[in-house]
Amino acid sequence: MKNVTKIICAASALMLLASPAQAEMRLKFAHTAPVTDLSHKMALMFADDVKASTNGSIVVDIYPNGQLGSDSQMIDGVRSGIIDIELSGLNNFTGMIPEAGAFTLPFMFANRATAYKVLDGEVGLGVLGDLEEFGMKGLGFAENGYRNITNNRGPIRVPSDLEGLQMRVNGSKPLNDLFQELKANPQQLPVSELYTALETGVVDAQDHPIWVVEAFKFFEVQKYLSLSQHAYSALTLVMNSDRFEGLTDKEQAIVMSSAAKAIAYQRSASQTAEEDKIKFLEGEGMIVNRDVDGAAFQNAAKPVWESFIATNGDSLINEILAASK
């Protein structure tokens, strides 16, 4: 009997040694993009890198497509600790940090390289640091890209072409003010409701980067795409502060490193595949207009800058412009 007991104990020990290590921690990562979007691919890359770098002790579970709520709901979820990590547009954080709306001002960044330089530098890090007051650790800035206008009425070449359009806008006050200044009728709607709103005629125009137009299939309910590139749109990757601080120093370094790798991948892919996405949209029947009078739109946007400065001051704007040189 003793021999049998020894054999059972030995077998049990071998089974324990042979079993894979169980994950010590699981993190919830939420975003509103479809699984076909680059943001989801970025999230998957982040999760894979964290798991590999921690030898499986940290597993990141991805919740795409708004499964855990709208952008604002996910941010609240991160702040309360219900969600560990989330990715959404920088504009969604301007309610907490109004001056950060400077990043969303029309024609703030002449090109992507400049945007990356500012966002990854002292100015961008300062804004991420400000999020700690609200219970969030900023992990970095990914991108949506440059915003362009789609609608069902016709090509948008000059500011007056927007007059009278029912225009969906996001939570960015500068962009809301821009379309109001251009005599469109801006309406704030969550992106999760936008396809139906376009399909039913609640709104007949919207602005988003190329990737979003493709991923959310807006080409099915919009005829014209005008490459206005009127504003650069950054995405903000945040984590619950307490959750982050609860990690070891090594684990914190891994999370930050994995975030940096995923963001670099996402930015690169966003740029290199953009023309292919435009061709895809043309193949799906969209009429693409590249003949946009950028100078006229920049001139029309001046009152938006003036209004922003009157409310929030020009300190952050000046910091951005200085860092852009």
Side-chain angles (χ1 to χ4, degrees):
M1 184 68 181
K2 290 182 178 179
N3 288 337
V4 173
T5 302
K6 287 180 180 178
I7 291 171
I8 292 173
C9 290
S12 298
L14 286 172
M15 288 178 68
L16 286 171
L17 288 172
S19 299
Q22 296 299 307
E24 296 175 1
M25 181 183 297
R26 301 193 82 91
L27 301 177
K28 291 181 180 179
F29 183 155
H31 65 80
T32 59
V35 295
T36 54
D37 189 72
L38 193 54
S39 292
H40 185 64
K41 295 176 184 177
M42 171 192 154
L44 291 174
M45 181 177 180
F46 171 80
D48 289 344
D49 198 69
V50 167
K51 184 176 182 179
S53 299
T54 60
N55 294 317
S57 67
I58 298 179
V59 175
V60 181
D61 299 313
I62 312 297
Y63 296 85
N65 220 16
Q67 290 179 25
L68 301 187
S70 65
D71 290 320
S72 60
Q73 289 170 333
M74 290 189 306
I75 291 170
D76 287 342
V78 171
R79 294 182 66 185
S80 67
I82 296 172
I83 298 171
D84 300 300
I85 302 167
E86 78 94 30
L87 178 71
S88 58
L90 175 56
N91 60 282
N92 295 290
F93 297 85
T94 56
M96 292 173 279
I97 310 173
E99 58 271 23
F103 288 100
T104 71
L105 281 167
F107 305 103
M108 172 56 80
F109 297 110
N111 51 58
R112 279 179 162 93
T114 301
Y116 301 160
K117 178 182 176 182
V118 175
L119 290 166
D120 296 342
E122 185 177 340
V123 180
L125 292 175
V127 171
L128 291 181
D130 290 340
L131 291 172
E132 294 183 12
E133 179 185 346
F134 302 95
M136 292 178 285
K137 169 68 177 177
L139 304 182
F141 295 104
E143 75 165 23
N144 256 343
Y146 278 96
R147 305 185 79 87
N148 300 285
I149 300 168
T150 72
N151 80 105
N152 282 323
R153 190 169 71 184
I156 305 297
R157 296 189 176 93
V158 294
S160 60
D161 289 331
L162 282 162
E163 188 170 344
L165 282 175
Q166 301 296 320
M167 184 86 194
R168 180 268 178 184
V169 294
N170 63 14
S172 165
K173 188 176 187 305
L175 286 180
N176 184 87
D177 291 350
L178 173 66
F179 290 113
Q180 200 160 34
E181 187 70 29
L182 299 177
K183 298 182 180 179
N185 298 311
Q187 300 179 42
Q188 292 194 8
L189 286 172
V191 69
S192 59
E193 299 176 14
L194 182 50
Y195 184 99
T196 301
L198 291 167
E199 185 178 36
T200 59
V202 172
V203 292
D204 46 30
Q206 64 89 44
D207 75 316
H208 262 115
I210 298 299
W211 277 88
V212 178
V213 175
E214 188 268 344
F216 282 83
K217 298 186 177 182
F218 294 148
F219 57 85
E220 295 179 347
V221 289
Q222 295 275 267
K223 184 67 175 178
Y224 298 94
L225 166 64
S226 296
L227 303 181
S228 53
Q229 297 197 313
H230 53 276
Y232 177 79
S233 182
L235 295 170
T236 310
L237 182 63
V238 296
M239 183 172 179
N240 175 269
S241 290
D242 290 341
R243 192 71 149 159
F244 182 82
E245 292 300 327
L247 302 175
T248 66
D249 290 347
K250 182 178 179 181
E251 290 170 338
Q252 289 180 7
I254 286 171
V255 167
M256 296 302 295
S257 174
S258 297
K261 290 176 188 176
I263 286 170
Y265 156 77
Q266 192 256 12
R267 286 176 175 177
S268 177
S270 176
Q271 291 185 70
T272 56
E274 190 165 88
E275 277 300 321
D276 289 338
K277 293 293 180 185
I278 292 173
K279 290 178 182 176
F280 169 81
L281 295 175
E282 287 180 314
E284 292 295 319
M286 291 198 86
I287 298 172
V288 177
N289 167 46
R290 297 175 186 268
D291 180 23
V292 178
D293 189 342
F297 275 95
Q298 288 186 48
N299 186 61
K302 288 179 180 179
V304 178
W305 282 57
E306 293 166 359
S307 175
F308 181 87
I309 291 170
T311 303
N312 302 287
D314 61 0
S315 177
L316 187 55
I317 288 177
N318 290 334
E319 289 179 25
I320 293 171
L321 294 177
S324 298
K325 296 178 181 178

